[in-house]
Amino acid sequence: MADDLWAGVDRLFGERLLGPDDALEQTLVASLEAGLPGIAVSPVQGKLLNLLARMVGARRILEVGTLGGYSALWLARALPPQGRLVTLELDPHHAEVARANLERAGVADRVEVVVGPAIESLRGLPGDQPFDVVFIDADKPGNPAYFAAALRLTRPGSVLVVDNVVRQGRIVTHPDDPAVVGVLELLDLVAAEPRVDATALQTVGTKGHDGLLVALVTA
Ligand code: SAH
Ligand code: DHB
Ligand code: MG
């Protein structure tokens, strides 16, 4: 019941603050038709990512976990014409669907979808062109490794966001779940890392009870 109410509030915010958007909606429809799981960020979360990127004037954005390109489209739209989004995806089929969606949405010129295990792709990215915003949303056991590798690709003032840090409260109730272990290790890593300052927020909405970690690179 609570979930229905949360979803209703998300829909209201979507209608009042976001409005209809063909490219975003087509991205979700095409992704579902291609058999991808329906686990993209919600519209209000996508808009939050878009606003965060614009607030910091992001010119280079890194995403870990592309799926069908829904969050990538929100992020790509935050970029200036010469900006760049690099998004990392393990599954070639997901990457192919994402590329088609981003092409249809008119942002393909700003986006590079890199196929392969994210940790290998991260190690292959040059450190001399830092990313202003990083969104980590791939396999959850990988969170600590992705955060550490991405941190090396940032500068003071960069912002890192990690999705799904609450998982219906399983972070408290199921500490041995491998996905939860990835989040708990991430929290330890962030707490011990003097170069970042962070918080995490629980969220409810169309995706149930979950949350986001937001970190600022300070040094
Ligand atoms: N950010 C997307 C959702 C990503 S879902 C959105 O909100 O629209 C998580 C994605 O991470 C899936 O597409 C999955 O294939 C990918 N993934 C899982 N393990 C990965 C890995 N080791 N490296 C890169 N991507 C991975
Ligand atoms: C799952 C993954 C996600 O990135 C998400 O936003 C929701 C659920 C999952 O693997 O279940
Ligand atoms: Mg997610």
Side-chain angles (χ1 to χ4, degrees), residues 64-128:
V64 185
T66 315
L67 193 64
Y70 183 77
S71 54
L73 178 51
W74 276 110
L75 288 166
R77 283 179 172 180
L79 289 167
Q82 303 305 315
R84 197 96 187 127
L85 167 67
V86 178
T87 180
L88 313 181
E89 174 54 52
L90 176 66
D91 187 317
H93 178 54
H94 293 186
E96 183 188 346
V97 172
R99 285 193 187 110
N101 284 329
L102 295 162
E103 180 77 43
R104 190 185 335 94
V107 297
D109 58 327
R110 274 169 273 174
V111 184
E112 183 183 358
V113 183
V114 180
V115 179
I119 198 63
E120 287 178 22
S121 301
L122 283 162
R123 288 185 183 131
L125 289 170
D128 58 345

Side-chain angles (χ1 to χ4, degrees), residues 183-209:
V183 177
L184 293 172
E185 287 177 2
L186 172 70
L187 297 179
D188 288 344
L189 189 153
V190 168
E193 174 52 71
R195 289 171 296 169
V196 303
D197 205 5
T199 190
L201 278 184
Q202 301 183 65
T203 56
V204 296
T206 52
K207 298 200 67 191
H209 177 208

